[in-house]
Every structure is written in C-alpha cells, then in structure tokens.
C-alpha cells in the first residue's frame, strides 16, 4: 500500500508491505481488506495529528503500524477459525 506523500517522512518509507501469511488467493484478498482498513485508519490519525499520535516519533508510528497489522491478521485468523463451516455431503 502506497503511503501518501505528506506522510512518507513520518513513516520513513514510501509504501507499507506486510506478509499476508497465506498462499491462497481468496484468503489473501480477505486479509488484505482487513489490513487496508487498519492502515487507512492509522494514516488518518497521523495525518490529522490526533492525540496522542502527534506526540509519537516516526519509529513509534512504524512500530504501531506493524502491531496493528499483526493484530489485524490474528483477529482475522481467529474469526475464520471460529466461523461455522457448512456441512459437506460426507457429513
């Protein structure tokens, strides 16, 4: 995901890349949507200078972004694991 020009100095990079930890396209698409929402929220907070975001260093913001993405993937995996599965003909 590309970082807007005005936030690149703060994030210290031009794009955010994160492994979706899957080789399956369907699962990767679902996970990418989860992460995109989290990254957009983070970028909006940083852009607006919302408290306490305005008090964070660039390194702290990077760490926060990594943490949010990791938590997003973990929550998505948990949701999928707990979701009821449709019955198959064999059952």
């Amino acid at each position: 995901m590309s970082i807007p020009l005005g936030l690149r100095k703060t994030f210290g990079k031009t794009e955010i890349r994160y492994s979706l930890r899957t080789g399956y396209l369907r699962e990767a698409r679902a996970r990418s949507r989860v992460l995109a929402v989290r990254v957009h929220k983070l970028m909006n907070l940083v852009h607006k200078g919302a408290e306490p975001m305005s008090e964070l260093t660039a390194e702290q913001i990077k760490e926060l972004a990594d943490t949010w993405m990791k938590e997003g993937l973990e929550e998505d995996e948990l949701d999928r694991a707990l979701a009821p599965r449709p019955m198959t003909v064999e059952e």
Side-chain angles (χ1 to χ4, degrees):
M1 174 177 288
S2 180
I3 297 176
L5 289 173
L7 296 177
R8 289 180 181 179
K9 183 177 179 185
T10 302
F11 280 88
K13 51 177 97 174
T14 59
E15 67 180 3
I16 292 177
R17 294 179 140 222
Y18 200 80
S19 172
L20 298 174
R21 297 186 294 191
T22 183
Y24 299 101
L25 183 58
R26 174 183 266 169
E27 199 169 316
R29 285 181 177 150
R31 289 180 181 187
S32 70
R33 287 189 291 270
V34 169
L35 292 182
V37 169
R38 285 180 168 263
V39 170
H40 281 285
K41 284 181 182 180
L42 177 62
M43 286 185 195
N44 284 334
L45 288 171
V46 172
H47 178 71
K48 292 177 182 177
E51 293 291 334
M53 297 301 287
S54 61
E55 313 232 340
L56 296 177
T57 66
E59 185 61 33
Q60 289 171 319
I61 291 171
K62 287 183 223 173
E63 289 176 20
L64 181 59
D66 286 342
T67 300
W68 274 22
M69 288 188 282
K70 182 179 177 186
E71 287 175 358
L73 287 177
E74 289 171 354
E75 287 174 16
D76 183 61
E77 288 177 16
L78 182 60
D79 289 346
R80 288 175 187 277
L82 297 176
R85 302 203 187 279
M87 293 188 64
T88 63
V89 175
E90 297 170 356
E91 293 179 48

